[in-house]
Amino acid sequence: MPQQSSAQVTAAEISRIAGVTRATVSNWRRRYDDFPEPSGGAESSPLYDLEAVRAWLASRGYASAASPAEELRTTLRLGAHGAGDGDEGATADLLLLVLAAARRTPEQLTAAAQLSDTDLAVRAERDAAGVADAVPGGGGVRFAGVDPAVLRALYVCVRDEGGQATLGVLAERELEDSAASGAYRTPPPLADLLARLLPGAPARVLDPACGSGALLEAAARRGAAELYGQDVLPVQARRSAVSLLLTAPPGTTVSVRAADSLRADAFPGLTADAVLCNPPFGDRDWGYDELAYDPRWAYGVPARAESELAWVQHSLAHLTPGGHAVLLLPPATAGRASGRRVRAELVRSGALRAVVSLPVGASVPFHVGLQVWILRRPEPGGPEHKSVLFVDTAEPSAADARTDVRTGPRTRGGGRSASLDWARITDQALGAWHAFAADPDAFEDEPGVARAVDVVDLLDDTVDLTPTRLVRASRADVDPAKLAAEADATRRNLVKAAKSLGRAAGYDDWDAAGGSAREWRTATVSDLARGGALALLRPLPDTVRTRAHAASSATGGERRPETRTVLTGSDIASGSAPSGNPTGLYDDTAPVIAVGDVLVRAVASGEGPMSRVADEADAGALLGHVHLFRPDPARLDAWFLAGFLGAEDNIAGASTGSTVLNVSPGRLRVPLLPLEEQRRYGEAFRRVHELRAEAQRATRLAEETARLLSGGLTGGQLLPSVRDAAADAAPVRGRGPGGDSPH
């Protein structure tokens, strides 16, 4: 038996491992004499030997409810990697090991996890050395000071959940949402949108501030064969390289470097077909003094406060003539006085082709409505560009208020990217941009959404390129009759929704439990799954997706069900039908949603419901970041299951993480009740779900009705009714103007 190191855990950690409440752990300590004695800590907060606890749990029939990813989180959370919290060097070495492990077979990973502590460290160093040349700064990896528990958990996590899932666990600890480093990952739907804004199919793509590699991953999904990235943080550069090597199709060239792109360009001679970039914002120490005479500033030297315009020109300098760059920038870049001259030259030369405003919450910083700039490096002797496109996706369009296949329009706005209606945002941005790029002179403005503005009209004293200001000026072009008809149709839908809400609110079939709340025995989802009462389905892990992609490439393409949609967590929160695109590598074995499945969001948040039962609109969709529970109808009622799985206390008890709360499905608990009683609860939960859906629909229609009426009145398309005004002004019969009787 190999000698394996252990760690110390708290009572809270024990509850997470066993999938029980902390109160249950306290009961075990009092009731069972053989419960492990504390091995450290204080009397008020004792610590227990992890292996002793696991042995005791196994003797009592409690198999670990923690997933491999949760096991890895636990070892990292306990500080088991040995280098101290926040040590980027240790994290960077573990990132390299993820890449090495992902290239091993499941059998090899199992064998590695069973080695003794000493042999395991040697094996990990040998594996990492085999891929050291593939990532920046990959040499000299040593795992002698790393607790073998971390190495063991990492191998198992890669084996069972894939390299990307393992990479995500490491990112939660050291890389994501880091206030110290300013490193934030571009949300996947936004990264996909930025990549899709690149015309054609660029083969060579550069991201000079690549971070974790989200934009380059999106470019790879669009067919880019050469990926070049650079980041000032070495740990981020290594993470980006590992992530790209895990996800990019076979044969893709991946080259990532660690350095400051503005001060020390790692690719000085590179000319790319396209550039994607989400650069750091508001950086006054970007190199203004030493780079004043840099040849990249073809459109003017950026001011000290205009680091974003330095990134814009750096991107243009790396493009082939006619190549495009897409950058995510703060709104101040479009109107700040210090950047007026550079903006004017970008417009005058035709380099700036479009500016797209995004809703608040699209990406960090979530309280700011960011903008997407689309640029094109002018070609010598190329066509003259007489206009620039402006798109305002932050303003909801009338189409968003129309009823969808489930409960009506989707949620707009919100404080986080996941709550936005990315389908609408993407359709508006791509639709306007593609039409404009095809023929700028023939582009027809879409009032309130998109407008092509002549260059001469932009070159005024301010050169303000804010889309909202320029697009809203086109609202006077809206046809009054069309707007009036649209407002009336929306108002009628609101009246119907209000009636439906009233009927849903009439449900009152419940009674008080008595003097105290009812209590019941519960079981974890893991227990129910082992007993066959339900099945827990997940999306394909990365290792399976990689093998599927390799197999499909050999036959000429991916076996991906392009006609299917993907159900996302935001779809559950907003009550909408599946809206995601199958951007991952799904093959024929990918789980498909069926009517009656119970769906639970994988990330906990306070916005919207956490669960629902799949209906016909969901059937056939693929799983996004969602847990799927398929109950045996002879043993579990679906709505009963959905109601208790999505309960606030249940979700809180099964969630881990700090900034992002990930739901561990195996730890969710369900009351053990007879089927007939389950059905009574299930009917009540179904009624509650219907009430919430009708309330959301009525609220959205009320907001849309008010928006249309207010905009029509202020825009001049609608006039107050003379009849209504006269009726309001007429005195009540028998009473004077002041309300008193004239007599």
Side-chain angles (χ1 to χ4, degrees):
M1 177 66 67
Q3 177 189 358
Q4 297 183 2
S5 66
S6 185
Q8 292 180 314
V9 291
T10 64
E13 296 285 351
I14 296 173
S15 70
R16 281 191 281 267
I17 293 171
V20 299
T21 65
R22 293 186 63 178
T24 301
V25 176
S26 297
N27 288 334
W28 288 344
R29 294 169 55 191
R30 291 193 300 267
R31 293 176 56 191
Y32 299 111
D33 294 336
D34 60 342
F35 190 84
E37 292 292 332
S39 58
E43 184 176 351
S44 59
S45 56
L47 297 175
Y48 302 87
D49 182 82
L50 177 59
E51 293 304 323
V53 167
R54 283 177 169 159
W56 186 88
L57 291 173
S59 69
R60 296 282 174 174
Y62 285 93
S64 175
S67 65
E70 179 58 28
E71 291 280 357
L72 181 56
R73 285 191 189 95
T74 298
T75 57
L76 291 171
R77 189 164 52 241
L78 294 171
H81 64 300
D85 291 344
D87 184 358
E88 288 190 351
T91 298
D93 291 345
L94 291 175
L95 294 173
L96 191 62
L97 183 58
V98 171
L99 176 61
R103 297 182 175 184
R104 302 296 182 186
T105 66
E107 293 74 19
Q108 290 172 327
L109 296 176
T110 299
Q114 294 173 347
L115 293 172
S116 68
D117 290 352
T118 302
D119 291 342
L120 179 59
V122 173
R123 171 63 179 272
E125 290 177 3
R126 186 172 68 248
D127 285 348
V131 296
D133 294 339
V135 301
V141 176
R142 293 291 182 269
F143 291 117
V146 176
D147 193 314
V150 171
L151 303 179
R152 193 166 285 110
L154 188 148
Y155 275 116
V156 173
C157 191
V158 172
R159 182 195 66 192
D160 294 350
E161 301 198 28
Q164 277 293 351
T166 309
L167 204 62
V169 174
L170 297 178
E172 291 171 9
R173 181 173 178 83
E174 301 286 356
L175 304 176
E176 295 287 36
D177 295 344
S178 169
S181 66
Y184 299 91
R185 184 172 176 82
T186 305
L190 177 56
D192 186 61
L193 170 60
L194 299 183
R196 295 176 67 184
L197 287 169
L198 293 173
R204 180 181 296 177
V205 180
L206 166 70
D207 184 349
C210 63
S212 60
L215 294 180
L216 291 175
E217 289 177 23
R221 292 194 294 268
R222 304 294 299 171
E226 297 181 38
L227 306 175
Y228 299 88
Q230 184 170 348
D231 197 87
V232 67
L233 296 177
V235 68
Q236 283 283 39
R238 187 176 291 193
R239 189 247 175 125
S240 178
V242 171
S243 181
L244 291 171
L245 290 168
L246 287 173
T247 59
T252 302
T253 298
V254 175
S255 180
V256 181
R257 299 290 182 266
D260 185 333
S261 289
L262 296 183
R263 286 189 171 95
D265 188 358
F267 305 102
L270 175 67
T271 54
D273 301 322
V275 173
L276 291 171
C277 189
N278 180 0
F281 302 157
D283 181 12
R284 300 181 71 89
D285 186 27
W286 57 269
Y288 171 78
D289 294 324
E290 61 262 44
L291 298 175
Y293 300 101
D294 196 285
R296 288 172 291 183
W297 314 147
Y299 303 89
V301 179
R304 188 182 300 275
E306 297 292 344
S307 64
E308 295 84 7
L309 291 177
W311 286 103
V312 166
Q313 296 191 74
H314 174 82
S315 300
L316 284 168
H318 270 292
L319 288 173
T320 59
H324 285 78
V326 178
L327 286 85
L328 183 68
L329 300 173
T333 310
R336 201 158 37 204
S338 56
R340 181 182 65 83
R341 291 186 178 181
V342 174
R343 291 197 303 272
E345 192 56 34
L346 289 170
V347 171
R348 186 180 291 111
S349 66
L352 181 65
R353 303 305 302 129
V355 181
V356 180
S357 66
L358 299 172
V360 170
S363 185
V364 175
F366 289 112
H367 65 285
V368 174
L370 300 175
Q371 296 175 358
V372 179
W373 284 33
I374 305 175
L375 303 111
R376 185 174 187 267
R377 182 167 182 174
E379 301 169 278
E384 180 185 3
H385 297 297
K386 302 177 181 179
S387 61
V388 178
L389 174 68
F390 295 89
V391 184
D392 184 11
T393 69
E395 180 68 17
S397 69
D400 288 320
R402 299 192 180 106
T403 303
D404 68 12
V405 295
R406 181 181 300 279
T407 62
R410 297 174 185 161
T411 301
R412 295 183 298 268
R416 295 285 174 176
S417 178
S419 67
L420 298 179
D421 183 359
W422 281 106
R424 175 189 66 80
I425 296 168
T426 301
D427 289 346
Q428 286 185 343
L430 291 179
W433 167 239
H434 288 164
F436 177 80
D439 191 347
D441 295 333
F443 180 78
E444 295 185 6
D445 296 348
E446 184 178 353
V449 176
R451 182 188 182 199
V453 181
D454 291 341
V455 168
V456 294
D457 293 333
L458 295 172
L459 298 175
D460 54 17
D461 292 338
T462 60
V463 195
D464 191 340
L465 307 179
T466 303
T468 301
R469 182 181 69 85
L470 296 165
V471 169
R472 288 182 179 179
S474 67
R475 290 178 181 172
D477 300 331
V478 176
D479 179 40
K482 181 179 179 181
L483 180 61
E486 189 172 6
D488 187 59
T490 305
R491 183 191 60 81
R492 292 177 184 274
N493 286 335
L494 173 59
V495 172
K496 294 178 182 178
K499 292 179 179 178
S500 297
L501 176 59
R503 289 192 295 269
Y507 174 70
D508 60 356
D509 193 11
W510 59 76
D511 299 309
S516 61
R518 181 181 180 184
E519 296 183 358
W520 38 56
R521 291 175 57 242
T522 63
T524 65
V525 164
S526 294
D527 292 334
L528 294 174
R530 284 192 291 269
L534 58 78
L536 174 59
L537 304 182
R538 308 168 185 267
L540 289 176
D542 298 321
T543 51
V544 177
R545 294 186 185 188
T546 302
R547 289 196 295 269
H549 183 275
S552 61
S553 298
T555 59
E558 296 177 6
R559 293 188 299 149
R560 189 169 69 186
E562 296 287 356
T563 59
R564 296 190 187 276
T565 54
V566 176
L567 182 83
T568 66
S570 59
D571 293 330
I572 296 177
S574 63
S576 65
S579 63
N581 295 317
T583 54
L585 299 176
Y586 295 89
D587 70 0
D588 296 338
T589 66
V592 176
I593 297 172
V595 174
D597 287 343
V598 176
L599 309 166
V600 177
R601 291 155 56 189
V603 175
S605 70
E607 299 178 358
M610 283 295 300
S611 64
R612 76 179 184 215
V613 176
D615 59 13
E616 293 290 347
D618 296 323
L622 300 168
L623 286 180
H625 206 38
V626 171
H627 299 306
L628 186 153
F629 305 84
R630 183 162 292 166
D632 178 355
R635 300 174 62 181
L636 284 172
D637 179 83
W639 275 111
F640 162 81
L641 186 63
F644 278 100
L645 291 182
E648 182 178 353
D649 291 346
N650 206 0
I651 293 294
S655 299
T656 59
S658 54
T659 304
V660 177
L661 296 179
N662 295 281
V663 178
S664 298
R667 292 171 49 203
L668 292 168
R669 306 193 72 86
V670 181
L672 300 176
L673 299 178
L675 184 59
E676 189 59 36
E677 192 170 5
Q678 290 183 36
R679 288 170 178 161
R680 291 199 297 270
Y681 273 96
E683 176 61 18
F685 283 128
R686 188 190 66 78
R687 295 288 191 95
V688 171
H689 177 83
E690 180 183 352
L691 174 63
R692 179 185 283 117
E694 292 295 345
Q696 289 177 333
R697 180 167 178 260
T699 299
R700 293 162 183 162
L701 286 169
E703 290 290 340
E704 181 61 19
T705 302
R707 187 187 71 83
L708 288 171
L709 292 175
S710 178
L713 290 169
T714 57
Q717 292 88 0
L718 299 178
L719 300 175
S721 172
V722 176
R723 179 184 66 257
D724 292 344
D728 291 340
V732 178
R733 181 175 298 178
R735 305 191 62 84
D740 296 327
S741 172
H743 301 293

